[in-house]
């Protein structure tokens, strides 16, 4: 998403409006920063954290410490609100939530792809959403079209396997 901000500043010899000496400059700059953060153009990216049960929460905290700083070329960034159960890369291009509920539309007979020993449920209703299943916690990953899902899932397989043991 791209936002364009235009500001018309008129100056006269007697006015300091629109300059750094203006009393309202700091307030306007603060609003601009807030708008950019909300747009995902800077600062933290808004992502609602899940509320995992205690065993899943412990596994998710272990996963948080193993996640990469760079994923498929995107730098890790802060989430809003900060949470050990959420990770974001780029300007929200890749989002991970650990400790989510079992996917509601996943049937016991669904065939799921396995990437480096991690099974991923690909939600047919939401093609950018993948959920790691068969582990101590469900891990939901949303991947934008700017990234190849197979690359992202391969890179996430190592920390998922290391932090979340398989369940029976």
């Amino acid at each position: 998403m791209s936002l364009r901000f235009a500001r018309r500043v008129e100056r006269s010899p007697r006015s300091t409006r629109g300059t750094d000496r203006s009393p309202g400059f700091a307030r306007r700059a603060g609003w601009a920063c807030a708008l950019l953060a909300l747009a995902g153009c800077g600062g933290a990216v808004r992502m609602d954290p899940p509320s995992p049960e205690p065993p899943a929460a412990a596994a998710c905290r272990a996963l948080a410490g193993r996640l990469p700083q760079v994923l498929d070329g995107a730098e890790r960034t802060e989430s809003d609100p900060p949470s050990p159960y959420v990770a974001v890369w780029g300007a929200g291009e890749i989002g991970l939530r650990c400790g989510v509920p079992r996917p509601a539309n996943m049937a016991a007979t669904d065939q799921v792809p396995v990437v480096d020993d991690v099974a991923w449920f690909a939600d047919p209703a939401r093609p950018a959403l993948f959920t790691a299943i068969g582990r101590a916690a469900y891990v939901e990953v949303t991947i934008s079209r700017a990234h190849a899902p197979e690359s992202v899932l391969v890179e996430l397989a190592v920390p998922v396997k290391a932090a979340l043991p398989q369940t029976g």
Side-chain angles (χ1 to χ4, degrees):
M1 171 170 51
S2 174
L3 295 177
R4 294 180 184 212
F5 293 95
R7 187 174 94 187
R8 186 174 170 199
V9 178
E10 296 178 19
R11 293 188 180 122
S12 70
R14 288 174 269 163
S15 171
T16 59
R17 181 177 169 88
T19 68
D20 60 356
R21 291 171 281 177
S22 168
F25 178 79
R27 185 177 64 246
R28 287 190 304 277
W31 276 107
C33 290
L35 288 172
L36 288 173
L38 287 173
C41 298
V45 175
R46 175 83 180 134
M47 184 173 271
D48 293 329
S51 299
E53 296 295 322
C60 290
R61 284 190 299 275
L63 176 63
R66 295 175 185 269
L67 292 172
Q69 287 298 83
V70 177
L71 182 58
D72 198 38
E75 293 280 334
R76 186 143 175 205
T77 189
E78 296 294 320
S79 66
D80 177 33
S83 171
Y85 312 124
V86 172
V88 180
W89 290 267
E93 299 161 24
I94 303 169
L96 179 146
R97 296 180 343 124
C98 186
V100 297
R102 180 184 187 277
N105 58 348
M106 184 176 75
T109 57
D110 282 341
Q111 296 292 320
V112 296
V114 176
V115 179
D116 286 350
D117 296 326
V118 177
W120 294 94
F121 172 70
D123 191 329
R126 297 174 62 195
L129 179 66
F130 301 86
T131 306
I133 61 172
R135 299 276 165 182
Y138 290 103
V139 179
E140 180 182 274
V141 179
T142 307
I143 306 168
S144 77
R145 290 186 175 155
H147 296 276
E150 55 276 2
S151 297
V152 172
L153 299 180
V154 164
E155 288 184 51
L156 287 174
V158 172
V160 167
K161 288 188 300 189
L164 304 175
Q166 285 185 317
T167 58

